[in-house]
Amino acid sequence: MRLPVRELAEKYQEHVFRAAFSVCRNPAEAEDIVQDTFLKYMESDCQFESEEHIKAWLLRTAINRSKDVLKAFWHRKRGSFEEYMESVPFQDPESRRLVETVLSLPKAYRIPIYLFYYEDYPVKEIADILNLSENTVKSRLYRGRKMMQDILKENWTDDE
Amino acid sequence: MTNKDKFKRAFSELHTSDAFVLDTEEKGMIRKMKFRKTIIAVCTALAVCAGGAACYAADVGGIQRTVQVWFHGDQTTATMTVDEDNITHYSVKDKNGNEIISGGGVAEDGRGGYRPLTESEMNEYLSEPSTDIMGGKLYLFYKNQKMDLTGKFDKDGLCYVTLNDRDKKIYVTVAKNGGLASRDDKYAQKNELPEEWFR
């Protein structure tokens, strides 16, 4: 199945942005990645099993593109991450600290953590999206949780 | 509240900017070309030790170094630093100490992390053509070359320039807004360029 880009963008544009931003930590780059991701969808002739399958494809594409951006040269001032975070109207300081903590984790840990806690993906699907083994994903989630717990302490529940 | 609830509440606050509009039209070859948006072009007019000039880096303490670079067609000194995240940053300041250009980059280390960029990697990325507006005039810069593009745009608002660099040619298409597309096989044409360059 295929769905119209406008319909997909309406539902998933912000999800794609958050996934991209979680990897590259630069809002301007993340917006470019959103554009690239939907462009790639338009150019591809992939047939999908379901809407969930399309969403996973979009997230995988955005995450891979974000990794490419990290490999490439970073032409923008790094301050844009801090400036963007300052501009986000978080509901409370705890939410801001949570996002900042996740984004401070090494990339290998913050992407599985994001997909597990925000996108609700089980380990198997995270492994598919990131092209990793399930054991690797479990290991990274375990270490990522430990790091979160060390930083957030009482604001992080031990939910393993 | 569970960790997942906290995540959803916190991350739901992250959004694209109000100015962001997803373009859902096909753009064909655009993905295959190197583009420079105006805002980025201002930040990339820097080429490290281009044109066969002697290249040197002097330690100035710790992991900070100075490097001779081309900026706006002239040689100047850039400071390179590596931060705690292994990201290489460069900065060029004017004679008053004001930062006039900065940026940085990382490279995958093959083990899931990333490492600082080397000077040669900086060279690869920074020695691309770029544009900047100086004194109300739009200039194209490439290594030690500096070209005033005033009066050289056609009816479509585009200027085509061939850059010669030893045994290679670079075909550059520049729009009046400073947008730039470069290819090594032929000039990018108007229908291949972003519409926002002509608004």
Side-chain angles (χ1 to χ4, degrees):
Chain A
M1 69 175 283
R2 301 271 304 178
L3 289 174
V5 173
R6 286 180 192 279
E7 183 182 332
L8 289 173
E10 199 171 301
K11 287 183 177 175
Y12 301 123
Q13 173 179 306
E14 298 303 313
H15 286 261
V16 172
F17 172 78
R18 286 168 198 141
F21 182 70
S22 296
V23 181
C24 70
R25 302 192 298 188
N26 183 296
E29 297 284 12
E31 288 184 348
D32 284 351
I33 290 162
V34 172
Q35 180 67 70
D36 283 353
T37 301
F38 283 96
L39 189 62
K40 197 165 181 181
Y41 175 83
M42 285 188 281
E43 289 175 346
S44 82
D45 52 6
C46 294
Q47 288 297 322
F48 299 91
E49 296 163 8
S50 63
E51 188 172 330
E52 270 304 307
H53 187 199
I54 297 176
K55 181 186 174 187
W57 184 92
L58 292 171
L59 292 176
R60 181 191 301 119
T61 302
I63 288 168
N64 287 336
R65 179 74 190 104
S66 304
K67 289 176 180 174
D68 289 342
V69 166
L70 282 182
K71 286 180 207 168
F73 207 77
W74 193 5
H75 289 295
R76 298 166 205 248
K77 285 194 177 186
R78 197 162 177 240
S80 59
F81 169 72
E82 286 79 15
E83 287 164 14
Y84 175 73
M85 290 300 288
E86 280 300 312
S87 73
V88 178
F90 287 106
Q91 291 179 39
D92 49 60
E94 190 187 328
S95 291
R96 178 182 299 277
R97 186 144 183 258
L98 176 67
V99 172
E100 288 176 345
T101 300
V102 174
L103 297 184
S104 73
L105 299 179
K107 178 163 54 74
Y109 304 121
R110 68 175 181 264
I111 303 173
I113 287 276
Y114 172 82
L115 292 173
F116 183 84
Y117 285 101
Y118 183 75
E119 295 290 355
D120 275 333
Y121 281 117
V123 168
K124 184 179 183 316
E125 289 192 42
I126 295 173
D128 286 343
I129 289 172
L130 300 180
N131 198 24
L132 297 170
S133 71
E134 289 186 42
N135 282 339
T136 301
V137 172
K138 284 178 189 171
S139 165
R140 292 186 182 182
L141 282 172
Y142 174 79
R143 291 182 193 173
R145 286 188 187 107
K146 288 292 178 200
M147 291 177 194
M148 298 283 290
Q149 204 163 20
D150 287 344
I151 298 169
L152 296 173
K153 302 188 187 306
E154 70 276 8
N155 288 323
W156 180 260
T157 313
D158 187 1
D159 60 358
E160 287 177 51
Chain B
M1 188 182 283
T2 66
N3 291 331
K4 285 195 175 186
D5 292 335
K6 291 175 185 173
F7 253 76
K8 289 180 196 309
R9 186 174 65 168
F11 274 86
S12 294
E13 299 289 355
L14 305 182
H15 294 285
T16 50
S17 62
D18 292 341
F20 178 73
V21 179
L22 186 71
D23 186 348
T24 55
E25 293 178 13
E26 290 280 357
K27 288 188 176 178
M29 288 293 291
I30 282 177
R31 291 167 51 80
K32 297 171 185 166
M33 295 188 295
K34 297 171 184 174
F35 284 109
R36 288 283 174 267
K37 293 176 184 172
T38 308
I39 189 169
I40 305 176
V42 173
C43 300
T44 57
L46 182 70
V48 179
C49 301
C55 179
Y56 71 88
D59 286 337
V60 292
I63 48 177
Q64 187 179 72
R65 287 173 297 171
T66 57
V67 189
Q68 283 296 295
V69 301
W70 289 105
F71 178 62
H72 284 175
D74 297 319
Q75 276 207 307
T76 187
T77 301
T79 304
M80 283 176 61
T81 55
V82 178
D83 70 13
E84 69 278 7
D85 291 329
N86 274 345
I87 294 171
T88 303
H89 297 265
Y90 69 84
S91 172
V92 176
K93 293 180 179 176
D94 64 17
K95 58 186 177 184
N96 298 318
N98 300 315
E99 188 175 75
I100 51 178
I101 182 173
S102 68
V106 291
E108 294 277 350
D109 64 5
R111 299 188 300 274
Y114 43 86
R115 59 167 175 76
L117 286 176
T118 63
E119 283 167 45
S120 64
E121 285 168 335
M122 279 189 68
N123 187 22
E124 181 185 343
Y125 288 104
L126 293 175
S127 59
E128 293 177 352
S130 63
T131 57
D132 200 359
I133 296 171
M134 299 167 66
K137 293 182 175 180
L138 180 65
Y139 289 90
L140 173 67
F141 299 98
Y142 180 64
K143 297 185 177 178
N144 60 345
Q145 301 175 49
K146 175 182 175 182
M147 276 163 272
D148 179 2
L149 302 182
T150 307
K152 294 179 180 172
F153 290 89
D154 65 12
K155 60 180 173 47
D156 288 328
L158 294 171
C159 176
Y160 300 92
V161 179
T162 304
L163 297 170
N164 294 296
D165 188 351
R166 295 179 185 172
D167 57 346
K168 72 171 180 177
K169 288 182 185 293
I170 303 171
Y171 299 93
V172 183
T173 306
V174 184
K176 275 186 176 176
N177 75 338
L180 178 158
S182 65
R183 296 170 61 148
D184 54 13
D185 56 346
K186 61 181 181 179
Y187 291 116
Q189 298 301 306
K190 186 175 183 180
N191 62 355
E192 300 169 311
L193 302 174
E195 290 176 5
E196 60 264 29
W197 287 7
F198 304 98
R199 286 173 188 155

